[in-house]
Amino acid sequence: MTDLIKKAIYGDTDAFLELMDVNSLAMYKVAKGILGNDDDVADAVQNTILTCFEKLNTLKKPRYFKTWMIRILINECNKILSHYKKFNWDEEIPLIGQMDMSIAEFEFKEMLGRIDAPYRIILLLYYVEGFRISEIAEILDLNKNTVKTRLSRGRQQAKKEYLPPASKNDTLPQTISIQTRKG
């Protein structure tokens, strides 16, 4: 992968296109988690690809390409969100109605849609994209402890959203565990 990045940095257009193809699913997932709307996601991804192409020569360490690219994507998503805030539109993530989506995927996406945005992006980057806490801190320009706190609060919010409200007649304890990774 590093060789592909180096080729792209030195102007190999085919290498750049292959690099974008390899990372397109990751970009889509992150943008979808932030924006929710497929049209906005497409705009954010397209703008990210263009920005990456224009500024690829500014990348200092090829091994951090994905982190650099995701940060650009998040900035593009934030631009789109700030544009919508000017119009006072609610930030709702519509339900995704794919026919081939597994029940677990559907439940996960539905639960993510109910999580507050600062926690949603952290959960997405951590669990879906597999970034470490230090990488997430760098991508979002946050302190590592802030990322840890938001990850913890996001897990708590996910737990609250996922579990039904407990009634007094329930005799079995209601528990959910979200696997944690060292980051």
Side-chain angles (χ1 to χ4, degrees):
M1 182 70 100
T2 306
D3 291 338
L4 193 61
I5 296 166
K6 287 180 182 178
K7 286 179 183 178
I9 289 172
Y10 290 114
D12 186 337
T13 309
D14 290 333
F16 178 79
L17 292 174
E18 186 177 341
L19 201 53
M20 290 298 107
D21 190 45
V22 167
N23 288 291
S24 63
L25 183 60
M27 287 191 291
Y28 174 81
K29 287 178 183 178
V30 171
K32 184 73 172 182
I34 296 171
L35 300 170
N37 177 323
D38 279 333
D39 292 333
D40 293 336
V41 168
D43 288 343
V45 169
Q46 183 177 7
N47 291 341
T48 299
I49 291 170
L50 181 61
T51 302
C52 286
F53 184 74
E54 291 172 345
K55 306 212 180 217
L56 192 57
N57 61 340
T58 65
L59 180 64
K60 293 179 178 122
K61 295 183 181 176
R63 68 180 180 193
Y64 293 121
F65 172 78
K66 189 171 181 181
T67 303
W68 175 77
M69 178 194 65
I70 295 295
R71 185 174 182 138
I72 291 170
L73 176 64
I74 290 170
N75 289 338
E76 289 297 331
C77 291
N78 288 336
K79 285 179 193 175
I80 291 170
L81 289 176
S82 69
H83 173 74
Y84 284 143
K85 285 182 182 178
K86 292 177 184 175
F87 296 108
N88 268 339
W89 293 348
D90 291 334
E91 291 181 48
E92 291 185 28
I93 294 182
L95 292 177
I96 302 166
Q98 289 179 308
M99 298 302 278
D100 61 345
M101 189 184 314
S102 74
I103 292 172
E105 286 176 300
F106 179 80
E107 286 178 348
F108 180 73
K109 288 180 180 186
E110 186 175 280
M111 182 264 310
L112 265 182
R114 295 179 181 170
I115 303 288
D116 293 338
Y119 309 135
R120 182 182 327 125
I121 188 62
I122 302 279
L123 290 173
L124 255 170
L125 292 173
Y126 189 79
Y127 287 109
V128 177
E129 292 305 315
F131 284 107
R132 294 187 315 265
I133 288 174
S134 59
E135 292 172 323
I136 296 170
E138 185 180 330
I139 290 170
L140 299 176
D141 197 25
L142 296 172
N143 183 299
K144 280 197 236 180
N145 290 328
T146 303
V147 173
K148 288 178 187 178
T149 300
R150 288 185 184 180
L151 184 59
S152 175
R153 288 180 183 164
R155 288 177 184 141
Q156 290 171 356
Q157 202 173 57
K159 185 176 180 179
K160 192 179 349 177
E161 288 295 328
Y162 190 75
L163 292 176
S167 69
K168 293 180 182 179
N169 297 335
D170 289 342
T171 55
L172 296 174
Q174 300 284 329
T175 60
I176 184 173
S177 69
I178 296 178
Q179 291 182 348
T180 58
R181 299 182 300 118
K182 274 194 165 179

